[in-house]
Amino acid sequence: RSPSCGCFSVRYLLWNPEVHHRFSPGFKRLVLLFLMARPCKDCPLSWLSDDCLFYILNMCTFDAIPLTSNNSFRGAGNDE
């Protein structure tokens, strides 16, 4: 039953493969990066199970990826 005060609750969209299409292009690139790096033996991500990797992505909020005006990742080696 809704409270009489007019309050409402907020639900965050958490990533999983079924809702991948609903995320921003930047977040989709992060997922792709994780999945591409996972099989590389020199990458620490390769030590994680798929379940652990999906858990990490699931805990990132939809707006966790800061974007520049050209919709690319901010970070080292990508200064504008």
Side-chain angles (χ1 to χ4, degrees), residues 1 10 33 56 62 70-71 75:
R1 186 173 176 209
V10 175
L33 178 66
I56 291 168
F62 73 95
N70 66 357
N71 208 23

Side-chain angles (χ1 to χ4, degrees), residues 13-15 23 27 30 55-62 64:
L13 179 62
L14 301 178
W15 183 89
F23 281 78
F27 199 98
L30 173 70
Y55 180 81
I56 291 168
L57 290 168
N58 183 260
M59 290 295 105
C60 294
T61 59
F62 73 95

Side-chain angles (χ1 to χ4, degrees), residues 32-41 43 45-46:
L32 181 62
L33 178 66
F34 266 47
L35 296 177
M36 287 175 35
R38 171 117 177 28
C40 299
K41 292 185 191 312
C43 179
L45 290 176
S46 69

